[in-house]
Amino acid sequence: QVQLVESGGGLVQPGGSLRLSCVASGFIFSRYAMSWYRQAPGMERELVAGLSSFLGIEPRYADSVKGRFTISRDNAKSTVYLQMNSLKPEDTAVYYCKADRQIGLGPTSSWGQGTQVTVSS
């Protein structure tokens, strides 16, 4: 059973930091590209950051988070992280992780259930 479980969200003041984690199970993590998306109320879900399963491929970031957010992965722990610094109120959203298969067989893609991030004073 494919499962993605996010954690690390919460309430933080502007300028603060949070680190989100997404633990994967039920598939071969190293064969999947991992991404973070977010969705604010009344808005479409948007890509925040993406990281390929292939070594040497640079991560992708939305322009709005470049220089503030960092995506990373630990294949041994089947976990993807999103380090978020210098948070702004406009970063408030539900954050989701997503897995997309790049190598071999298995589920094509899967989403986590989301974790709420609220940036407010």
Side-chain angles (χ1 to χ4, degrees):
Q1 179 183 357
V2 175
Q3 195 170 20
L4 297 172
V5 179
E6 300 100 332
S7 62
L11 174 63
V12 63
Q13 292 187 343
S17 298
L18 284 174
R19 188 176 82 152
L20 305 184
S21 300
C22 173
V23 180
S25 60
F27 60 94
I28 302 175
F29 183 78
S30 61
R31 297 181 179 182
Y32 283 68
M34 299 301 298
S35 304
W36 287 95
Y37 286 73
R38 67 186 181 188
Q39 188 167 21
M43 304 292 285
E44 293 187 355
R45 192 171 297 189
E46 63 172 353
L47 176 68
V48 175
L51 188 57
S52 174
S53 64
F54 299 112
L55 296 177
I57 303 296
E58 290 295 318
R60 300 174 295 147
Y61 294 98
D63 288 342
S64 58
V65 307
K66 282 180 181 177
R68 300 188 297 122
F69 290 11
T70 302
I71 187 172
S72 61
R73 64 190 294 160
D74 185 338
N75 287 346
K77 295 182 178 179
S78 296
T79 301
V80 61
Y81 304 98
L82 185 68
Q83 178 66 44
M84 305 186 295
N85 299 328
S86 303
L87 283 161
K88 305 176 181 180
E90 52 262 44
D91 295 318
T92 296
V94 178
Y95 284 70
Y96 300 88
C97 70
K98 185 185 181 193
D100 291 289
R101 176 167 51 84
Q102 291 193 292
I103 306 170
L105 302 177
T108 302
S109 63
S110 184
W111 290 90
Q113 83 289 348
T115 186
Q116 176 70 46
V117 172
T118 303
V119 185
S120 175
S121 56

